[in-house]
Amino acid sequence: MSFVPDTTTLIQFAIATVILAITPGPDMTLFVSRTLSHGRATGFASMAGALCGTLIHTTLVVVGVSALIVASPAAFLALKMFGAGYLVFLAWQAITKGSAFSPERKSGPEISLFRAWAAGLGVNLLNPKIILFFMTFLPQFVSAHEPNAPGKLFFLGAMFVVLSIPVTAPMVFAAEKFSAAMKTSPRVTRVVDYLFAGVFSAFALKILTAQAK
């Protein structure tokens, strides 16, 4: 198949993907916090949203839209502001509504799977570091003169998603187990809420300091 890179390229890409997948980021923080607060299904929905965002980033790289965003200081600044603002909003929610587990509070509004999916998608799409990553990462595995470059880029993007699932899914299961074990500790619940708020805020700061070059 002409759109499948050679074996050496696939192995190198697989190693790089696994390393990236286990690196903490706003996506991971979001779906773990959603698992702690609303259960495994919600956590997986957030993870699915983030992975869908990965496919969108791959598409943008192929059509060149990401290059235009990175090349435009105004567009890049706007993206950073939106991305950081969204993470600050999530941090505020963590403190005011609780992003960690709240097993005894059943009267509050539940987060639908669609909302959880949309949150994962939003965090992924509004993170300029992810755009920069795909702009610099994917092209390294496909020659600029390769006639089937678009197909290979799409294949690698899909491969990135497939390889990320078995790496990130165990984190959701682990978060669910942690939630069940801490049901009787409301004080720890609030500590985790503030912890996630701090993590989201830290990632917001990192996004604001991201450089286009």
Side-chain angles (χ1 to χ4, degrees):
M1 292 180 287
S2 59
F3 61 86
V4 179
D6 59 81
T7 303
T8 301
T9 299
L10 291 177
I11 293 175
Q12 293 173 345
F13 183 81
I15 294 174
T17 297
V18 171
I19 293 175
L20 180 70
I22 63 177
T23 302
D27 293 358
M28 183 188 300
T29 302
L30 178 67
F31 63 69
V32 169
S33 67
R34 288 293 184 259
T35 302
L36 291 174
S37 61
H38 297 284
R40 180 172 56 189
T42 304
F44 277 123
S46 296
M47 187 179 76
L51 293 177
C52 287
T54 296
L55 293 178
I56 293 176
H57 282 301
T58 301
T59 303
L60 292 177
V61 168
V62 174
V63 301
V65 173
S66 292
L68 293 177
I69 293 177
V70 174
S72 171
F76 188 72
L77 176 61
L79 184 67
K80 288 199 296 183
M81 296 298 293
F82 275 111
Y86 189 56
L87 289 177
V88 170
F89 170 73
L90 291 176
W92 176 80
Q93 278 196 322
I95 295 176
T96 59
K97 298 182 179 180
S99 70
F101 43 92
S102 303
E104 303 301 328
R105 188 181 58 200
K106 299 296 184 181
S107 58
E110 291 294 328
I111 298 178
S112 68
L113 294 182
F114 175 77
R115 284 185 59 191
W117 175 87
L121 180 68
V123 165
N124 187 277
L125 292 181
L126 293 175
N127 188 348
K129 282 186 173 293
I130 296 180
I131 288 184
L132 293 175
F133 168 77
F134 276 94
M135 279 294 299
T136 58
F137 182 69
L138 284 181
Q140 294 182 32
F141 298 90
V142 177
S143 172
H145 303 290
E146 170 65 49
N148 298 308
K152 288 186 176 183
L153 286 172
F154 275 121
F155 180 86
L156 291 175
M159 180 178 172
F160 183 93
V161 171
V162 172
L163 292 178
S164 295
I165 292 175
V167 176
T168 56
M171 299 177 189
V172 175
F173 288 111
E176 184 183 39
K177 295 295 184 181
F178 180 70
S179 175
M182 300 302 297
K183 283 183 178 180
T184 59
S185 304
R187 180 175 298 179
V188 175
T189 296
R190 291 307 295 159
V191 171
V192 175
D193 287 335
Y194 279 96
L195 175 62
F196 277 115
V199 172
F200 279 127
S201 299
F203 281 123
L205 181 61
K206 288 185 65 177
I207 284 178
L208 287 175
T209 57
Q211 300 297 318
K213 295 182 180 181

